[in-house]
Amino acid sequence: MNCGHIIIERQSLSQFIVIFSSPSSELCSALPTVLVLASGRGARFTASGGTTHKLQALLGGQTVLERTLAAVQASGLPWHLEQQGLAGMGDSIAAAVAATAGAAGWLVLPADLPLVRSETLLEVARALARHPVVVPVFEGQRGHPVGFDARCGPDLRNLKGNRGGAQVIAAWGAIELIVNDAGVCFDIDTVSDLARAQVVWDGSRSTPEKR
């Protein structure tokens, strides 16, 4: 399943040119769009000793953002990168949904989840065909991407502040989707998080490819 051709060119550690051609298949119009949220300031990372923005930190030779985008691209789902530098996660979701108004639904994925698997994105997308809101859960812990179908669009466009989509999740009665993917909960907030992610990444390189 492939919705158009995606090219990511890194101009520098902080600038990406993303080219996403229009899907050529009608199938793509029925697929949810992955919203990669990359607007956060990453203050906790720098406060913990980081010398760069957390999304620009290296993990296995690529930046955290590149790792997350690679998983999204591998899923074959259409996607949108939101990096306007908006104040809160709610504002970022609202802007990204407004920019993809024709989507059949959305998978909200913070950009600091570089270990999430492409297969998990597809699991959430499939579940979203049967439920208005889908939340992945790994070992009892809720994570991302959270899936919202098109009916949630008006509520998502009205979000503001730092609570993200919590109020929309509550209003629509989300179902929990059990997944075998620790990456849904493994966000990079501090330097120690990055070090732990590197250990996990190195370990995954010694086993058959899972992404």
Side-chain angles (χ1 to χ4, degrees):
M1 180 169 56
N2 184 11
C3 293
H5 181 58
I6 301 169
I7 302 172
I8 306 172
E9 297 181 0
R10 186 170 65 168
Q11 301 297 300
S12 67
L13 281 176
S14 60
Q15 181 182 10
F16 289 79
I17 294 177
V18 180
I19 304 170
F20 178 48
S21 66
S22 298
S24 57
S25 169
E26 291 183 0
L27 174 63
C28 296
S29 65
L31 298 173
T33 295
V34 183
L35 304 179
V36 184
L37 306 182
S39 280
R41 291 172 52 232
R44 286 182 59 192
F45 188 80
T46 52
S48 71
T51 58
T52 185
H53 191 285
K54 64 180 180 178
L55 297 183
Q56 300 164 14
L58 293 179
L59 174 62
Q62 290 187 289
T63 69
V64 168
L65 178 56
E66 287 174 321
R67 289 292 178 201
T68 304
L69 289 177
V72 174
Q73 181 176 352
S75 76
L77 295 170
W79 57 275
H80 172 81
L81 177 63
E82 198 295 300
Q83 52 180 174
Q84 299 182 54
L86 299 173
M89 187 175 180
D91 302 281
S92 295
I93 294 172
V97 169
T100 56
W106 301 272
L107 270 58
V108 174
L109 179 66
D112 63 352
L113 287 162
L115 300 181
V116 69
R117 297 176 183 172
S118 57
E119 295 89 349
T120 302
L121 302 181
L122 291 172
E123 286 183 48
V124 175
R126 284 192 289 267
L128 197 59
R130 303 185 300 275
H131 306 280
V133 181
V134 179
V135 180
V137 175
F138 175 74
E139 294 186 352
Q141 184 177 354
R142 286 186 166 196
H144 287 87
V146 177
F148 300 91
D149 77 8
R151 291 173 290 175
C152 301
D155 292 338
L156 293 171
R157 287 192 292 272
N158 287 327
L159 290 174
K160 296 182 183 299
N162 294 318
R163 290 193 61 202
Q167 63 197 66
V168 182
I169 294 171
W172 284 89
I175 66 109
E176 293 187 338
L177 177 68
I178 306 302
V179 298
N180 185 27
D181 182 3
V184 301
C185 307
F186 205 138
D187 52 341
I188 307 299
D189 281 331
T190 65
V191 170
S192 61
D193 290 338
L194 182 64
R196 290 191 300 116
Q198 185 64 61
V199 171
V200 173
W201 180 262
D202 291 343
S204 72
R205 299 306 87 193
S206 63
T207 59
E209 182 67 40
K210 295 181 179 180
R211 287 180 70 86

